[in-house]
Amino acid sequence: MIDWPRVTELREEVGAEDFEEVVEIFLEEVEEVISKLQDGDRSQLEQDLHFLKGSALNLGFADFSALCLDGERKSAQGGADDVDLPAIITKFQASKSAFLTGMSEKF
């Protein structure tokens, strides 16, 4: 679910103190988009999923990123209504939980 080597690499690149800020910003920005999706707003679904995919991949949320990629592709091909938003939202919540638990154990 979480690409821990990527997390460790990013933490080493930016430093422990700045890494905490990166995580805070990531969670704030992603949760804004997730909230939008929970409200059923699909007006910019392809762009929203593209943003989520890239952000998630940078911070090691591998499974969540993969779901976003799949949804982004479907949306780009005209299948925005077929994107399983509840699955994406659930995966984010599970990934966030695993990430926060892992962070407290690993760092």
Side-chain angles (χ1 to χ4, degrees):
M1 178 172 294
I2 304 296
D3 180 358
W4 288 110
R6 173 63 191 136
V7 174
T8 301
E9 177 185 17
L10 180 61
R11 188 171 188 268
E12 289 171 358
E13 287 175 4
V14 300
E17 191 172 303
D18 289 337
F19 181 72
E20 289 181 26
E21 186 176 339
V22 168
V23 170
E24 284 180 38
I25 292 169
F26 164 79
L27 292 175
E28 286 176 15
E29 291 179 352
V30 169
E31 286 175 350
E32 283 180 28
V33 176
I34 290 292
S35 178
K36 178 181 169 184
L37 298 179
Q38 285 175 318
D39 292 341
D41 184 349
R42 293 178 183 244
S43 63
Q44 296 181 331
L45 186 60
E46 183 181 349
Q47 295 87 346
D48 289 340
L49 292 174
H50 179 79
F51 166 77
L52 292 173
K53 173 196 71 181
S55 297
L57 200 56
N58 285 333
L59 203 58
F61 284 48
D63 292 352
F64 173 62
S65 181
L67 276 181
C68 292
L69 172 62
D70 182 59
E72 178 187 8
R73 287 179 178 161
K74 284 180 182 175
S75 187
Q77 296 169 350
D81 291 339
D82 298 329
V83 176
D84 189 352
L85 291 183
I88 291 171
I89 292 164
T90 298
K91 183 60 73 177
F92 169 69
Q93 293 166 339
S95 297
K96 177 183 171 185
S97 178
F99 179 81
L100 294 175
T101 298
M103 287 293 294
S104 66
E105 293 171 356
K106 294 179 186 298
F107 303 109

